[in-house]
Amino acid sequence: MNARVALVQIAFVVFTLLLSVSVCSQLTVLVRLNDGQITEELLEADSEKDIITVEFRQTDGTLITFLSDFKRHVKIFHALVLGEPEKGQSQYQALCFISHLDHGELIPSEAMARLRQKYPHVVRSADERRSVEQFTMNAALNMSRSWHLSTHIHNVCRDARDLVYTRQQDVKYWLEKGSVFDVFPQSLNVTDLQSCSSTTDPWQPCACSYRLNLEWFPCQLKYCRGQGSNPYKCGIKSCSKGYRFDFYMPHKQLCLWDEDNYYP
């Protein structure tokens, strides 16, 4: 009798694990970057948590992570930038940018979880190139209470420490929606600061800029019409989009990439 109960318990555990796996998926896509190089892009979807994660490595070694939290209407950009020891930098520097996730920016997580590719060795190019979106990040998020806004912020941004930025307009939106979280009280007004690229003093506060591109992500579902009158899902539309972030840096030494990349 005990053996039978044990078998039932084991079967239940296996079934539970299968259920948990069924709501998650991983997809590796070959993508051509803006500089012509090819990289592997990892797309993960969890329909139970209602999130999509896109991760890839740029040619310079920077690791980019983009997470969309559909439940909390939050999108997270994380950049792990390799440092330059010859310029006095540490081995790496992490940046994190938090913003409001608009409806329709990506396909739903449940649709992403079911997405498969027939030819995994084909290098993908986006169907649509969307315009660059510029963010003026004028608030710093207090990481100690970020879980009230989204539990994923701490996991994605834990190595960014004090360099976790958002916008005052996003803060207002989330507070109106009932979220409870903290931003640091000081205003991070970057419009009155000199740009880091034109600052000569390495220890002077300045306005830093960072730009990244998501070269391929599923942005829209495609619908086809068969013999019946009701359309059905028959694929996805892919998009490419650039993002520019302007934000406060306590000193130029933390923004040395701005010397090498001028963003007009």
Side-chain angles (χ1 to χ4, degrees):
M1 184 67 179
N2 290 337
R4 182 178 297 177
V5 171
L7 286 173
V8 170
Q9 290 176 338
I10 292 172
F12 177 77
V13 170
V14 171
F15 179 70
T16 304
L17 288 173
L18 288 173
L19 280 179
S20 65
V21 171
S22 67
V23 298
C24 304
S25 74
Q26 285 189 353
L27 188 67
T28 302
V29 179
L30 294 178
V31 176
R32 191 177 302 278
L33 297 174
N34 210 23
D35 58 6
Q37 299 298 313
I38 297 172
T39 190
E40 283 190 349
E41 186 177 277
L42 178 64
L43 298 101
E44 295 182 311
D46 189 324
S47 58
E48 185 177 13
K49 295 179 180 178
D50 206 6
I51 61 171
I52 291 177
T53 305
V54 180
E55 190 168 84
F56 63 95
R57 194 173 296 277
Q58 297 181 158
T59 307
D60 63 0
T62 299
L63 182 65
I64 301 295
T65 304
F66 171 68
L67 185 143
S68 299
D69 183 348
F70 293 91
K71 284 184 178 179
R72 307 296 294 176
H73 307 287
V74 171
K75 58 186 175 188
I76 307 169
F77 298 88
H78 177 271
L80 191 64
V81 185
L82 295 181
E84 299 181 60
E86 66 274 11
K87 294 183 179 180
Q89 291 182 321
S90 58
Q91 289 185 340
Y92 66 88
Q93 183 174 341
L95 302 169
C96 230
F97 307 106
I98 318 295
S99 186
H100 166 239
L101 177 66
D102 292 318
H103 176 73
E105 286 192 54
L106 294 91
I107 64 173
S109 60
E110 59 182 16
M112 181 65 211
R114 293 194 298 267
L115 193 63
R116 302 292 182 269
Q117 59 177 337
K118 187 178 293 185
Y119 306 107
H121 300 297
V122 173
V123 179
R124 305 290 172 180
S125 297
D127 299 321
E128 177 187 335
R129 298 193 69 86
R130 294 181 173 178
S131 59
V132 175
E133 187 173 2
Q134 185 167 343
F135 294 84
T136 300
M137 313 305 282
N138 49 15
L141 194 66
N142 186 344
M143 284 286 287
S144 64
R145 296 192 66 190
S146 63
W147 61 273
H148 288 285
L149 178 58
S150 171
T151 57
H152 306 288
I153 293 175
H154 183 268
N155 293 333
V156 177
C157 301
R158 60 182 177 271
D159 55 355
R161 300 178 184 176
D162 297 330
L163 302 179
V164 182
Y165 299 96
T166 186
R167 300 182 297 177
Q168 291 288 354
Q169 65 194 72
D170 290 322
V171 171
K172 182 180 178 182
Y173 171 85
W174 290 319
L175 290 176
E176 289 176 350
K177 292 293 183 181
S179 296
V180 180
F181 62 98
D182 284 342
V183 293
F184 290 112
Q186 71 269 27
S187 174
L188 302 181
N189 188 0
V190 297
T191 56
D192 298 332
L193 284 175
Q194 189 175 0
S195 67
C196 292
S197 59
S198 61
T199 302
T200 56
D201 184 355
W203 305 109
Q204 180 178 330
C206 54
C208 186
S209 293
Y210 190 79
R211 185 168 179 169
L212 62 87
N213 289 311
L214 297 181
E215 293 295 346
W216 192 94
F217 62 93
C219 56
Q220 192 175 328
L221 294 173
K222 288 182 179 179
Y223 290 87
C224 299
R225 287 189 177 275
Q227 295 181 350
S229 58
N230 295 327
Y232 62 93
K233 297 174 186 177
C234 58
I236 59 105
K237 176 182 178 181
S238 60
C239 289
S240 171
K241 186 172 177 62
Y243 302 86
R244 169 177 165 164
F245 303 94
D246 298 320
F247 53 99
Y248 170 88
M249 268 296 191
H251 48 82
K252 177 182 177 174
Q253 187 68 12
L254 295 173
C255 185
L256 292 181
W257 61 78
D258 220 1
E259 293 181 339
D260 304 322
N261 300 282
Y262 173 66
Y263 306 125

